[in-house]
C-alpha cells in the first residue's frame, strides 16, 4: 500500500493497493482507492463507490453530492480498470468475481480507519453492482458485516442478468462456459462503433469529460472468460443473496436499443434490460427499495438534466430514511450491548 498521492482529478487523492500476482497470469495486480479532499476526515458516514465494466471513477458530481450530505467520499478503481490498469493487462479481465473481495475489503478497512469508524454505504454501478452485492453476501455469511462497518447499499442499474434473447441465458451461457475453459481471453464481443458512449462524452454528444483510454466510447472487448465469470455471478444471485444491509436500486423506467444515433438513446437504458433488473431485484436481500427513473440512461447519474435531477431527488429521499434507520439501528445495538 502506497501513501496518498495527488489524483488525476483536482482536489482528489489516490492510494495504490498492491494485490500480488494475477491468478490469470497478467502480472502484478493493483487496485486504486480515491479520496475526495486533501486529508482524512473524521465522519459518521462514508460512501465507497465501485464502477462497472468499461468504467472508472470520474463523476465528481456524485462525489460533491455525497460530500454535501456529510459523507466522506471514496471510490475504488478495481484491478485492471482505470487507474489500476497496467501495461500488458487485459482491461477489466478476470475469471472469478470473488477475486475482487480482497481489494474491496482492504478499501473498506482503510475508509473506516481514515474516518474514525464511519458507517460505510457501498455503491455499485452495473457490473460493479453485481460484484459488490456478491461480496456483501459473502461478508454477511462470515458474520463480518457489522464489524466491517458495512451499513447500506446503493445500486445504480445493477447488472442482474444477461440482456438479449432468451437463448443467450440458456444454451448461450452453456457455450460461454465451454469456450472459457479453453480460450478464456477469446473475444466474445468486439467494441461497438459508438452508441451509449457517444451520448455521454462531451467530445461527441454528451456533457461529461473523462479519459477515453480508460472508458472508450465503444467499450472494451468482452472476453469469454470474463463473461463466464459474470454468468456464474448471475447464477449465484438468482439463487438469492442477502447483502445484510438496507439497499436502494435505481434504474431507468425503460430500455432502448443501442444504435449509433445518440439522440435515439438519450432517454432510456441502452445497455441493460431494465425488466431483468425489476425481475431479480428481490434476490439482493431484505429492505430493498426499487425506484425507476423516467427517461434515465444506464448510469442514472449520467442522464440528461431532468432525469438526473430526479435520480438525485430519489437518492436524497432514501438517504433521509437511511439516516434515521442508521440512528435507530445504532441505538438498538447499544441497548442490546448495555
Amino acid at each position: 500500500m502506497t501513501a496518498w498521492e495527488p489524483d488525476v482529478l483536482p482536489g482528489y487523492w489516490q492510494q495504490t493497493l498492491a494485490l500480488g500476482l494475477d491468478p490469470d497470469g497478467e502480472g502484478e495486480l493493483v487496485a486504486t482507492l480515491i479520496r475526495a479532499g486533501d486529508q482524512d476526515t473524521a465522519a459518521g458516514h462514508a460512501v465507497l463507490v465501485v464502477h462497472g465494466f468499461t468504467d472508472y471513477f470520474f463523476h465528481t458530481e456524485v462525489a460533491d453530492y455525497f460530500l454535501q450530505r456529510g459523507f466522506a467520499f471514496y471510490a475504488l478503481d478495481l484491478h485492471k480498470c482505470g487507474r489500476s490498469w497496467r501495461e500488458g493487462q487485459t482491461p477489466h479481465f478476470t475469471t472469478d468475481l470473488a477475486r475482487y473481495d480482497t481489494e474491496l475489503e482492504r478499501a473498506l478497512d482503510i475508509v473506516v480507519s481514515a474516518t474514525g469508524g464511519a458507517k460505510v454505504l457501498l455503491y455499485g454501478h452495473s457490473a460493479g453492482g453485481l460484484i459488490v452485492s456478491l461480496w456483501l453476501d459473502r461478508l454477511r455469511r462470515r458474520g463480518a458485516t457489522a464489524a466491517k462497518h458495512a451499513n447500506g447499499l446503493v445500486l445504480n442499474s445493477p447488472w442482474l442478468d444477461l440482456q438479449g434473447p432468451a437463448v443467450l441465458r440458456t444454451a448461450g451461457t452453456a457455450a460461454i462456459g465451454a469456450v472459457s475453459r479453453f480460450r478464456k481471453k477469446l473475444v466474445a464481443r468486439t467494441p461497438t462503433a459508438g452508441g451509449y458512449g457517444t451520448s455521454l462524452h462531451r467530445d461527441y454528444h454528451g456533457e461529461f469529460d473523462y479519459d477515453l483510454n480508460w472508458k472508450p466510447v465503444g467499450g472494451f472487448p468482452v472476453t469469454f472468460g470474463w463473461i463466464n465469470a459474470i454468468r456464474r455471478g448471475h447464477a449465484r444471485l438468482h439463487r438469492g443473496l442477502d447483502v445484510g444491509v438496507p439497499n436502494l436500486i435505481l434504474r431507468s423506467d425503460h430500455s432502448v436499443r443501442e444504435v449509433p444515433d445518440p439522440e435515439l438513446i438519450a432517454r432510456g437504458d441502452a445497455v441493460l434490460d431494465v425488466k431483468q433488473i425489476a425481475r431479480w431485484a428481490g434476490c439482493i436481500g431484505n429492505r430493498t427499495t426499487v425506484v425507476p427513473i423516467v427517461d434515465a440512461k444506464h448510469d442514472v447519474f449520467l442522464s440528461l438534466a431532468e432525469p438526473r435531477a430526479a435520480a438525485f431527488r430519489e437518492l436524497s429521499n432514501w438517504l433521509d430514511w437511511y439516516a434515521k434507520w442508521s440512528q435507530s439501528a445504532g441505538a438498538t445495538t447499544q441497548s442490546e450491548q448495555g
Side-chain angles (χ1 to χ4, degrees):
M1 183 173 69
T2 64
W4 289 106
E5 301 174 348
D7 188 52
V8 294
L9 297 172
Y12 289 77
W13 292 73
Q14 64 168 265
Q15 185 175 107
T16 301
L17 311 181
L19 302 171
L21 285 174
D22 179 17
D24 289 313
E26 293 193 332
E28 295 283 345
L29 295 179
V30 300
T32 310
L33 184 63
I34 303 101
R35 180 189 72 202
D38 293 337
Q39 58 186 3
D40 294 330
T41 304
H45 289 275
V47 61
L48 176 61
V49 169
V50 180
H51 58 83
F53 182 68
T54 304
D55 209 354
Y56 73 103
F57 172 68
F58 66 89
H59 196 7
T60 56
E61 184 181 9
V62 169
D64 290 343
Y65 168 84
F66 277 107
L67 291 169
Q68 292 166 6
R69 292 280 313 201
F71 284 71
F73 183 88
Y74 294 80
L76 184 66
D77 278 12
L78 299 169
H79 65 259
K80 301 187 188 178
C81 306
R83 299 163 179 83
S84 305
W85 176 85
R86 296 296 184 265
E87 191 69 35
Q89 294 179 345
T90 305
H92 293 256
F93 181 75
T94 187
T95 55
D96 188 349
L97 300 186
R99 290 184 185 146
Y100 295 117
D101 288 13
T102 298
E103 61 214 77
L104 286 164
E105 191 157 333
R106 286 180 62 185
L108 185 59
D109 288 344
I110 292 169
V111 171
V112 171
S113 176
T115 55
K119 297 176 180 178
V120 183
L121 176 69
L122 285 307
Y123 172 115
H125 168 55
S126 197
L130 175 64
I131 290 165
V132 170
S133 296
L134 293 167
W135 167 59
L136 284 175
D137 179 71
R138 288 189 286 268
L139 200 66
R140 177 199 55 79
R141 286 189 276 124
R142 284 169 41 203
T145 302
K148 291 294 184 180
H149 292 236
N151 199 61
L153 175 64
V154 171
L155 297 176
N156 173 357
S157 299
W159 193 8
L160 306 185
D161 205 352
L162 188 64
Q163 63 276 26
V167 68
L168 293 178
R169 292 182 289 278
T170 53
T173 293
I176 288 169
V179 173
S180 69
R181 283 194 291 274
F182 302 100
R183 300 190 65 187
K184 61 185 179 181
K185 293 182 184 177
L186 181 67
V187 174
R189 191 195 72 188
T190 57
T192 63
Y196 176 59
T198 63
S199 76
L200 302 179
H201 199 277
R202 64 177 54 173
D203 287 352
Y204 295 85
H205 300 272
E207 59 180 291
F208 302 96
D209 189 22
Y210 49 82
D211 191 325
L212 290 173
N213 292 310
W214 291 346
K215 185 177 172 65
V217 167
F220 287 115
V222 173
T223 61
F224 277 94
W226 179 81
I227 195 65
N228 185 55
I230 292 289
R231 292 303 285 152
R232 296 204 320 271
H234 287 158
R236 176 66 190 90
L237 181 141
H238 296 170
R239 294 194 295 272
L241 306 179
D242 182 358
V243 295
V245 294
N247 51 95
L248 169 68
I249 300 177
L250 297 171
R251 62 170 177 85
S252 181
D253 68 323
H254 70 284
S255 294
V256 293
R257 189 168 62 90
E258 187 174 37
V259 295
D261 187 348
E263 295 297 325
L264 297 179
I265 58 174
R267 295 180 178 274
D269 190 327
V271 178
L272 297 182
D273 183 347
V274 299
K275 292 180 181 178
Q276 294 175 339
I277 301 176
R279 177 185 180 185
W280 297 110
C283 290
I284 298 295
N286 296 327
R287 295 196 185 94
T288 297
T289 302
V290 184
V291 182
I293 307 297
V294 175
D295 289 342
K297 294 183 185 180
H298 175 53
D299 186 328
V300 300
F301 297 112
L302 297 179
S303 300
L304 298 177
E306 185 179 352
R308 186 162 83 243
F312 277 116
R313 284 196 302 272
E314 293 294 348
L315 177 57
S316 291
N317 291 339
W318 186 82
L319 287 177
D320 289 342
W321 172 87
Y322 171 75
K324 295 175 182 176
W325 175 85
S326 295
Q327 187 174 19
S328 64
T332 299
T333 300
Q334 290 178 353
S335 175
E336 291 172 350
Q337 290 176 344

